[in-house]
Structures are given as structure tokens and as C-alpha cells.
Amino acid sequence: MDTDSREPRYRQIARYFEQQIVSGQLLPGSALPTERELSVRLGINRSTVTAAYSDLRASGFVQSTQGSGTRVSETLWGDTPKRGLNWHSYVSGGSFVPTLAIVRRVREIAAAPDTVVFSRGELSADLLPSDQLSALLRELTLSMPLDYANPKGEAETREVISAHLKEQYRVNAAPDEILLTSGAQQALHLVTHCLLNPGDAVGLEGPSYAYSRSLFVSAGLRLFQMPMDEHGLIPEEVVQLYNKHKIRMIFVNPTYQNPTGTTLSLSRRRRLLELCEERRIPIVEDDPYSLLALEGAAPPPLSLKALSSGGGHVLYMGTLSKMAAPGFRAGWIVAPSGVASRLAEAKQEMDYGYSTILQEVTKLYLTSGVWQGHLADLRQALTRRRNRMLTALQEHLGNRAEWLVPQGGYYLWCKLNRKIPDGELVREMEAHRVAVMPGSVYGAEGSSLRLSYAREPENRIEEGIRRLAAVLRRL
Ligand SMILES: Cc1ncc(COP(=O)(O)O)c(C=O)c1O
């Protein structure tokens, strides 16, 4: 296995067997090792071997039968495989870039038993409002159409979101300017594919949210990072990027940013708006975390959308994923009505609109008021977890790293005093059963780590940091 290769591990395995078969080293009918044997032999996750075998089966190289395991197909000889359907050529085509190999590896480590998981940007099960949602679901009466409905979302749901935005975010958005989406992720997708063209230059925070980066690359955009410090991005950079590359849009997550946890200061927000307005550069503001101020912290500044005059050149995205549950997939985008309608057309083409059943749940959840109590508990729990993490970092990592103290959201950004190759980091994390995301995933230079304190209960955080310290000592 070439651990530094960008080729996924399962493909490396599949390719190895394809070569063995085509070159005649493995003859028709020969048995391949069992998935278990091979995973033990290579020291990798069994699911990787399963994926490789499934690829080989799909291309017709091997067959699996109950009782006799996986064997080279009897019907194969010589050039036959070349004529078989090779799904790999399809899978490696298409416009979606594959998930970064490093992200896949960290996910595998995070999924292993007993790993302390600081890599996932989502809440632990005990912080999800499962009971509240179950109770609401028991009350639910379906009043909305169950046929193909309005791709923007039903008027009633958009009215509820409009009121929610006004009360909680001080954002004015008429129902007509709101489009319901399957999470903020889909909103990002729609903006990218409907409003931009391959080759367009866009500015984004450096570092920035990993799944926006991959989405932009898939859409053929040219990405330019705007440097940041502890107060968020430096607005003047927009001017440089505009003059040099004619950027057509900027994407920002100004409050409790993923991955750095930083918040763009009020003065920088104003300056950014001014610079973008002068140059007519639309801003896409991704705002999943701003209701999650930690206790004792000053509330964050108003959003760019709320601060902008008229607000017309800010597209504003939100979601219930971070304060309620990602499985909800309830998201939205606020845009001038014509733009929202154009995005809705594309959404119609994609999936016919956000599920009306989930719209009922969203309406009920936001109007019942139960979420306010949940949010207060959540902020307390996240504050305790953040504090635990800070104390443990001070104790165990004090001289090896520096970090920013998050005032809200899920993430703590940690800069290491020495450069550590990602491959080595991953190997040691696996050995010590702790998972964090290397900064390179977010386009960061130097050695940095994103630690999420949302995923593990308070009493596991110190142990996780102790393991991380052991990883860094080894390196
Ligand atoms: C900055 C940012 N934007 C968007 C998303 C996607 O959110 P959703 O679950 O609403 O699609 C995430 C999730 O981690 C995020 O951190």
C-alpha cells in the first residue's frame, strides 16, 4: 500500500488484483484471500477491502459465492476483463471530486471503537433534541400537500423561517426571498452551479470549510484564499483579489468559523461590506453557528446580511444542523426574490423541493418554542466541553502548540510548533485512538489541527487530549 498516494486505498487493492488477473498470475477460479484475512494482513479497515472486492465484482474480474468466498471469474481469460464493464472509469470521471484521501482515513479512525473523536463537526447523541423531536412528531398532523409541492418551500414554512430569522438573527427576509434547502450544503451547491461558471474566480477564507472547498473544485471554480487572523479575514484582501483575478463572488463563514472558530469583528464586517458593495461583488454568508455563543462570551456582531444596507448583495445561508440535528437536513438561503426563484428552479430539477413532511416538522419545531430551552442547554454543554478542552490542552500540550480560545460554535484551532506530515499524524492517531482533522484539509498552511469539542462527552475530553499529546510526543 502506498499510504502517501492520492489514490484511495480500496482502488490500490482493486488495481493490484486486476493486474494480477490480467497478467495471468491469478488464474480463473483462484481464490482471493477472505476480506478479513486481507484486512488483517494489510493492517487496514475491513470496509476498505470490502469496497475493493465490490469494485472487482462490478468490473467482472471476480465473483463471490456464499461458502466459497471470492474467486477470479471462471469466464475470464486473457483480454476478457478489458471488455467487461469497468466501473472505475465511471467512478473516476464525473464532476464531483473524490473525498480527500486524508479525510477518508481520519473518518475510518474516528469510526474505530474507543477512538476519542475530535474530528467531527457534529453534536454527540446526548446533545441532540431526540426526545423533543419525537414528542413533536407524535403531535404532527399533515396539513401540507403530499404531491410535488412548491420547490421554494410552502409559503407557510417560509413565513415561519422569515419570523425566525427576524427574531433570532435580526435578518429581514420576506418569505418570497427564502428558499428551503436540504441543509446549508445544498444552498452552497445551488449557488455554485446556478450563479457561477467553470473558470470563475472566487474568494474564500483561508482556511475554510472543507466541503465548500471540494464543492467549488467540483464546479471548476478557481479558489483564492483570503488570509485571516484571530479577528477573521482581512477585508483589504478582497481588493487585491478583485484587481488581480476579478473574483466574482466571495464565500465567508464570519461567525464562529469552521474550522478556526474565529469571528469577523464588527469593524471588519463593515469594511468588507463597503469594499464589496463598491466593486459589486456578491457575498455568500454561511451562518450555521451564530446562535451558539458560549457562556460568558459577548454576543457576536450582527451578520453581514443584517448589517448591509438593503442586504441585496449578500446571499445568506442557514441551517438547523448545528443547533438541532444534521439528520433534519433543514436549511435555507435568503436571496433577492428573482435569485431565489432561479435557485428554486434548479432545486426542482435536482429533487423537486424540500420534503413537505419535514417542512411540517420544521414549522412545528420552530413555532413550539421547545428549541429555545434546547439551545440554552446546548450552549451550556458546549461551554463546559470547551473549558475542559482548554484546561487539558494547557496541561498536556502547553509547549507544543498554541490555540485560539473559541467564543462560540464547535471548533478550536490549534497551531503546532513544528511541521508534521499528515501521513505520520494519521498513523499515530490511529495507534493512539484519537481523531482530529489536520489543517491541510481546510487549505491551511503550516501544521495546524481542528479540534471539535462538540462530539465527545465532557468526561472523555481530557483523555482525548492526553492521547493527542502522546501522538505529538511520538512525532
Ligand atoms: C460552515 C459550514 N457550512 C455548511 C455546513 C453544512 O451544513 P448542513 O448540515 O446544513 O448542510 C457545515 C457543516 O459542517 C459548515 O460547517
Side-chain angles (χ1 to χ4, degrees):
M1 300 287 293
D2 178 358
T3 47
D4 294 328
S5 165
R6 289 183 76 86
E7 184 179 30
R9 288 177 170 212
Y10 82 95
R11 260 317 300 163
Q12 293 188 41
I13 298 171
R15 195 166 41 76
Y16 168 82
F17 282 115
E18 282 168 19
Q19 278 160 1
Q20 293 278 303
I21 294 168
V22 172
S23 66
Q25 305 282 322
L26 269 174
L27 296 175
S30 322
L32 269 60
T34 64
E35 290 179 8
R36 218 179 81 78
E37 271 166 16
L38 191 57
S39 62
V40 171
R41 204 186 306 168
L42 296 176
I44 56 173
N45 216 302
R46 182 159 168 189
S47 61
T48 310
V49 180
T50 307
Y53 280 16
S54 146
D55 225 32
L56 288 166
R57 264 195 305 278
S59 333
F61 282 98
V62 302
Q63 289 167 333
S64 303
T65 37
Q66 191 97 44
S68 75
T70 301
R71 292 176 180 276
V72 179
S73 296
E74 291 286 356
T75 52
L76 285 185
W77 195 256
D79 63 355
T80 320
K82 293 192 189 105
R83 281 191 268 115
L85 178 57
N86 183 353
W87 276 112
H88 179 61
S89 66
Y90 289 84
V91 169
S92 54
S95 60
F96 281 91
V97 289
T99 308
L100 288 176
I102 180 94
V103 173
R104 237 182 285 120
R105 285 290 296 125
V106 175
R107 278 200 206 135
E108 282 174 6
I109 296 170
D114 189 38
T115 301
V116 180
V117 181
F118 295 142
S119 54
R120 294 182 64 154
E122 53 187 312
L123 297 171
S124 51
D126 58 313
L127 294 186
L128 297 175
S130 315
D131 292 344
Q132 286 183 346
L133 284 173
S134 307
L136 289 177
L137 285 171
R138 280 193 291 273
E139 275 177 36
L140 189 74
T141 330
L142 293 179
S143 62
M144 289 195 181
L146 285 176
D147 45 12
Y148 294 121
N150 185 339
K152 259 189 178 172
E154 293 309 289
E156 286 168 52
T157 326
R158 286 181 284 120
E159 267 159 31
V160 168
I161 303 277
S162 168
H164 176 66
L165 292 175
K166 176 100 197 129
E167 275 161 32
Q168 300 303 319
Y169 300 85
R170 294 186 37 207
V171 162
N172 289 319
D176 205 35
E177 297 172 325
I178 296 173
L179 164 69
L180 301 187
T181 55
S182 174
Q185 188 69 16
Q186 190 181 45
L188 268 174
H189 211 98
L190 290 168
V191 168
T192 309
H193 285 275
C194 290
L195 307 183
L196 295 168
N197 292 304
D200 280 350
V202 296
L204 55 155
E205 292 145 326
S208 53
Y209 167 52
Y211 288 106
S212 65
R213 299 175 60 82
S214 55
L215 191 152
F216 300 149
V217 172
S218 296
L221 304 181
R222 289 180 296 133
L223 312 188
F224 295 98
Q225 299 206 136
M226 297 178 278
M228 300 172 74
D229 61 20
E230 68 272 28
H231 305 295
L233 70 87
I234 321 278
E236 267 62 27
E237 284 298 318
V238 167
V239 181
Q240 311 285 340
L241 291 186
Y242 182 75
N243 292 343
K244 228 167 142 184
H245 305 289
K246 285 282 165 295
I247 46 167
R248 294 207 67 215
M249 205 174 256
I250 65 166
F251 289 82
V252 289
N253 169 205
T255 309
Y256 312 140
Q257 196 233 11
N258 181 3
T260 60
T262 54
T263 291
L264 189 64
S265 65
L266 180 60
S267 55
R268 287 193 186 177
R269 284 177 196 233
R270 294 222 159 94
R271 184 76 184 126
L272 183 67
L273 282 166
E274 199 175 86
L275 293 171
C276 288
E277 262 167 43
E278 276 165 19
R279 286 161 188 77
R280 300 178 183 222
I281 306 170
I283 302 176
V284 178
E285 179 176 23
D286 188 5
D287 192 21
Y289 300 99
S290 64
L291 294 188
L292 295 171
L294 299 183
E295 293 191 326
L302 286 182
S303 63
L304 293 164
K305 171 75 184 167
L307 288 170
S308 68
S309 50
H313 74 288
V314 180
L315 305 182
Y316 180 72
M317 300 179 343
T319 175
L320 291 184
S321 288
K322 306 299 171 177
M323 76 145 178
F328 215 144
R329 303 310 303 132
W332 52 80
I333 178 163
V334 177
S337 155
V339 177
S341 301
R342 170 72 194 104
L343 300 178
E345 276 173 13
K347 176 145 170 75
Q348 167 124 356
E349 216 173 84
M350 207 180 247
D351 63 8
Y352 277 108
Y354 187 64
S355 149
T356 47
I357 299 175
L358 286 175
Q359 287 187 50
E360 295 276 16
V361 187
T362 307
K363 248 181 11 178
L364 207 54
Y365 188 62
L366 290 179
T367 51
S368 68
V370 291
W371 65 271
Q372 271 122 332
H374 166 73
L375 185 64
D377 294 346
L378 185 58
R379 288 170 49 198
Q380 270 180 10
L382 287 171
T383 307
R384 286 196 299 271
R385 291 178 186 191
R386 189 248 355 226
N387 292 347
R388 271 287 176 107
M389 188 171 268
L390 288 173
T391 312
L393 282 169
Q394 196 57 51
E395 188 168 332
H396 301 287
L397 236 78
N399 54 355
R400 290 179 196 278
E402 289 168 14
W403 48 88
L404 296 172
V405 176
Q407 303 296 308
Y410 291 4
Y411 309 109
L412 186 144
W413 186 248
C414 195
K415 283 195 178 154
L416 303 179
N417 293 347
R418 271 192 327 109
K419 179 136 184 64
I420 293 174
D422 284 351
E424 287 176 30
L425 180 69
V426 164
R427 220 173 10 253
E428 288 303 323
M429 287 194 319
E430 187 166 29
H432 289 83
R433 286 168 295 123
V434 59
V436 306
M437 274 297 176
S440 60
V441 166
Y442 310 98
E445 285 165 8
S447 263
S448 39
L449 307 173
R450 187 197 77 172
L451 309 183
S452 155
Y453 44 85
R455 187 67 185 172
E456 287 288 353
E458 215 182 315
N459 60 8
R460 295 255 296 164
I461 289 183
E462 180 168 10
E463 173 58 21
I465 297 295
R466 202 179 287 137
R467 292 182 193 182
L468 181 61
V471 165
L472 298 180
R473 266 200 306 278
R474 287 276 304 173
L475 293 169

